[in-house]
Amino acid sequence: GVQTCALPIFCIMDLGYGKTLEFSDIIIPNNSFNVEFSNAKIVKAVGVNEEKTRIIFSDNKRSLSVNVTDLAYPGAGVEFAVNILNNGNIPAKIDSISVTGLEHSRAIKVAVLDTFNINNKTIKPNEEFTIHFIVEWDKNYTEVVNETANFGLKINCTQVI
């Protein structure tokens, strides 16, 4: 995910006396910045092959891949619940949850239902909360589509100092 922090940039200054002073990122020892997805589950499925529907976490758990198989008709879809966990030891601010991989699809829609509770939310170390999102074949899009939806979700966050 996109990670930013309010830390100085590496800088070299020539003091004019043949000495070079170096400043590097100032990191407080033993602090870790680690916000991740955990515990995904299907809440409701309509008109899909629920047994083949999958959520796969990335290695660092900051993003996940979703595969919804056999969307049968307009309006078919799945509601998922997934937790966001601050597994680090410093507070983090959730800037947004972004959807990737569906940029060119007009038929498949993904909606994060809890955005008003997510965007700019600060979560403390070891705090966890649940978000819900829906993937569906748009009810108003009646042209024949590929019956499988593949996309990703990513946590965009910044550390709070």
Side-chain angles (χ1 to χ4, degrees), residues 80-143:
F80 294 94
V82 64
N83 292 350
I84 295 178
L85 168 67
N86 183 347
N87 208 15
N89 62 9
I90 55 177
K93 181 176 69 113
I94 305 299
D95 298 317
S96 65
I97 305 295
S98 58
V99 178
T100 58
L102 286 178
E103 293 83 1
H104 303 291
S105 176
R106 296 182 315 193
I108 306 300
K109 302 295 181 196
V110 176
V112 178
L113 301 179
D114 312 296
T115 55
F116 59 92
N117 289 326
I118 298 168
N119 294 342
N120 298 312
K121 177 179 179 66
T122 297
I123 57 175
K124 298 174 185 157
N126 300 311
E127 184 178 0
E128 186 171 31
F129 67 96
T130 303
I131 64 167
H132 292 257
F133 65 94
I134 292 177
V135 56
E136 70 178 358
W137 181 349
D138 187 343
K139 295 174 200 158
N140 300 317
Y141 194 86
T142 56
E143 293 178 33

Side-chain angles (χ1 to χ4, degrees), residues 15-156:
L15 300 178
Y17 296 101
K19 302 261 186 199
T20 301
L21 190 61
E22 295 182 8
F23 299 94
S24 62
D25 288 349
I26 297 171
I27 303 220
I28 301 167
N30 302 318
N31 275 355
S32 71
F33 180 62
N34 189 16
V35 177
E36 58 189 39
F37 286 115
S38 69
N39 301 324
K41 67 179 182 178
I42 295 173
V43 175
K44 180 180 175 183
V46 176
V48 301
N49 185 333
E50 192 172 341
E51 291 178 9
K52 290 184 179 178
T53 296
R54 301 276 181 263
I55 292 181
I56 301 165
F57 296 104
S58 65
D59 289 341
N60 66 11
K61 297 184 180 178
R62 290 193 184 128
S63 62
L64 53 84
S65 298
V66 179
N67 180 298
V68 178
T69 304
D70 301 332
L71 289 157
Y73 49 83
V78 180
E79 179 181 345
F80 294 94
V82 64
N83 292 350
I84 295 178
L85 168 67
N86 183 347
N87 208 15
N89 62 9
I90 55 177
K93 181 176 69 113
I94 305 299
D95 298 317
S96 65
I97 305 295
S98 58
V99 178
T100 58
L102 286 178
E103 293 83 1
H104 303 291
S105 176
R106 296 182 315 193
I108 306 300
K109 302 295 181 196
V110 176
V112 178
L113 301 179
D114 312 296
T115 55
F116 59 92
N117 289 326
I118 298 168
N119 294 342
N120 298 312
K121 177 179 179 66
T122 297
I123 57 175
K124 298 174 185 157
N126 300 311
E127 184 178 0
E128 186 171 31
F129 67 96
T130 303
I131 64 167
H132 292 257
F133 65 94
I134 292 177
V135 56
E136 70 178 358
W137 181 349
D138 187 343
K139 295 174 200 158
N140 300 317
Y141 194 86
T142 56
E143 293 178 33
V144 176
V145 299
N146 179 344
E147 299 172 344
T148 299
N150 293 300
F151 65 96
L153 288 182
K154 185 171 85 173
I155 303 170
N156 302 305

